[in-house]
């Protein structure tokens, strides 16, 4: 009696040998949640930039295309349940990803494409190639099923700065109108969210939900938090969880990992605290919003 093959997820983003960002943050959580992950790296560095100096190489679009060609020749692409993309070296690489997603959808119309529109963050500003924001706004976002910008990226994509939670929901719904079914906004902080908390907002065609968690006083915050969140959220959705429950579980996992990060550490304790990926110890309720 043969075992059932786990669903396949293609993850195309950066990779580091030391630390947990990009594929080095996303692959392991998806594996712990029961998925077979096919990672394609857009860069390979010795370590992430949070450590300062690093070495390695940015891979061009042709490198990504070549790896995808090999997977196509193996007959793997039609079997994919989802595609996850994160940090892109350049817009040409992004276009190769969209071509692949379009091809896979011809075989599997139910394919889920989660685009984490990595562009920047509060305090750091935009840290990607100048062509990336336009590519994400005009090409990738309309193509994606799920997007997971942080608040800085959300405001950059929409050209707005919501004054309150109600406005954030309204703008997220407008963003849905440009293509994606699910819009998640992480690290949300508006005047009507208590200063001691951070919000994660989720909006789809059925409603809007907010999960609030306490702010953790870590300095600096570890890198790769968004990468882990997006991967965990995708895994929960692929496992059949409804959006509010997937939001609760992904947020709980990230909170637990950050909570167990040593002060001053640059990386989440993915391996040491891996049980928090599968069964997070704390749960935060998804509040239904009007």
């Amino acid at each position: 009696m043969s075992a059932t093959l786990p669903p396949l997820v293609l993850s195309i983003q950066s990779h580091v040998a030391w630390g947990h960002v990009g594929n080095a943050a996303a692959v392991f959580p998806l594996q712990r949640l029961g998925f077979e992950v096919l990672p394609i790296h857009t860069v390979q560095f010795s370590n992430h930039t949070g450590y300062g100096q690093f070495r390695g190489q940015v891979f061009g679009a042709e490198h990504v295309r070549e790896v995808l060609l090999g997977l196509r020749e193996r007959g793997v692409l039609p079997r994919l349940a989802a595609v996850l993309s994160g940090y892109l070296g350049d817009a040409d690489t992004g276009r190769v990803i969209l071509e692949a997603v379009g091809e896979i959808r011809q075989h599997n119309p139910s394919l889920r494409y989660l685009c984490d529109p990595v562009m920047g963050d509060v305090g750091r500003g935009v840290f990607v190639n100048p062509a990336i924001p336009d590519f994400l706004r005009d090409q990738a976002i309309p193509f994606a099923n799920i997007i997971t910008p942080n608040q800085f990226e959300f405001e950059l994509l929409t050209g707005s700065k919501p004054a309150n939670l109600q406005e954030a929901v309204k703008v997220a719904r407008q963003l849905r109108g440009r293509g994606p079914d699910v819009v998640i906004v992480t690290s949300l902080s508006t005047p009507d969210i208590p200063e001691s908390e951070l919000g994660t907002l989720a909006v789809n065609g059925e409603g809007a939900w907010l999960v609030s968690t306490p702010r953790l006083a870590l300095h600096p915050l570890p890198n790769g938090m968004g990468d882990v969140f997006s991967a965990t959220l995708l895994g929960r959705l692929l496992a059949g969880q409804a959006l509010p429950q997937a939001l609760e579980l992904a947020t709980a996992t990230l909170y637990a990992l950050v909570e167990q990060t040593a002060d001053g550490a640059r990386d989440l304790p993915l391996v040491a605290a891996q049980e928090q990926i599968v069964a997070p110890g704390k749960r935060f309720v998804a509040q239904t919003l009007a």
Side-chain angles (χ1 to χ4, degrees):
M1 187 173 177
S2 60
T4 302
L5 293 174
L8 300 182
V9 178
L10 178 66
S11 180
I12 308 179
Q13 48 189 315
S14 60
H15 183 68
V16 293
W18 171 253
H20 295 300
V21 301
N23 275 330
V27 172
F28 183 63
L30 279 165
Q31 290 172 331
R32 286 294 280 117
L33 290 172
F35 298 93
E36 191 73 57
V37 188
L38 289 61
I40 298 180
H41 307 326
T42 56
V43 310
Q44 176 142 349
F45 292 153
S46 55
N47 51 272
H48 59 68
T49 56
Y51 288 101
Q53 185 179 7
F54 62 92
R55 295 184 182 275
Q57 185 178 351
V58 176
F59 298 135
E62 284 310 307
H63 170 86
V64 176
R65 195 188 303 275
E66 186 77 7
V67 178
L68 284 166
L69 175 59
L71 293 176
R72 182 182 299 113
E73 291 169 344
R74 304 282 78 73
V76 172
L77 296 185
R79 296 172 49 205
L80 290 167
V83 174
L84 170 64
S85 70
Y87 177 85
L88 305 172
D90 57 44
D92 286 342
T93 298
R95 282 185 274 273
V96 171
I97 295 171
L98 298 191
E99 289 171 10
V101 170
E103 176 188 342
I104 298 162
R105 280 179 174 159
Q106 293 178 12
H107 300 280
N108 177 16
S110 63
L111 177 88
R112 300 199 203 194
Y113 171 35
L114 190 157
C115 174
D116 183 5
V118 178
M119 293 182 285
D121 207 346
V122 174
R124 295 178 66 189
V126 176
F127 53 66
V128 295
N129 182 302
I132 294 291
D134 286 344
F135 164 76
L136 289 169
R137 184 186 304 109
D138 300 334
Q139 298 179 53
I141 297 306
F143 217 70
N145 303 99
I146 308 160
I147 60 171
T148 55
N150 61 36
Q151 182 170 351
F152 177 88
E153 293 158 344
F154 177 64
E155 293 175 357
L156 194 59
L157 287 170
T158 59
S160 66
K161 190 174 179 64
N164 52 48
L165 194 52
Q166 186 176 4
E167 273 192 29
V169 172
K170 179 181 177 182
V171 174
R173 285 180 170 143
Q174 291 169 348
L175 189 53
R176 276 194 73 246
R178 287 156 56 181
D181 179 56
V182 177
V183 175
I184 311 279
V185 185
T186 63
S187 302
L188 185 63
S189 179
T190 56
D192 49 351
I193 295 176
E195 287 189 12
S196 60
E197 297 179 357
L198 269 181
T200 305
L201 172 68
V203 176
N204 69 4
E206 298 174 2
W209 299 268
L210 180 75
V211 171
S212 297
T213 58
R215 285 182 185 263
L216 293 170
L218 273 184
H219 302 287
L221 283 168
N223 291 65
M225 295 190 298
D227 304 323
V228 169
F229 174 83
S230 294
T232 307
L233 177 84
L234 178 60
R236 293 298 185 178
L237 291 171
L238 289 172
Q241 297 280 349
L243 180 59
Q245 287 69 47
L247 181 70
E248 289 180 358
L249 288 163
T251 304
T253 286
L254 182 60
Y255 181 86
L257 291 171
V258 175
E259 188 178 39
Q260 294 188 33
T261 301
D263 197 28
R266 287 284 182 177
D267 290 291
L268 295 165
L270 275 187
V271 176
Q274 60 183 278
E275 72 280 356
Q276 298 296 335
I277 298 168
V278 179
K282 296 179 182 175
R283 285 285 291 271
F284 303 94
V285 176
Q287 173 193 353
T288 303
L289 303 174

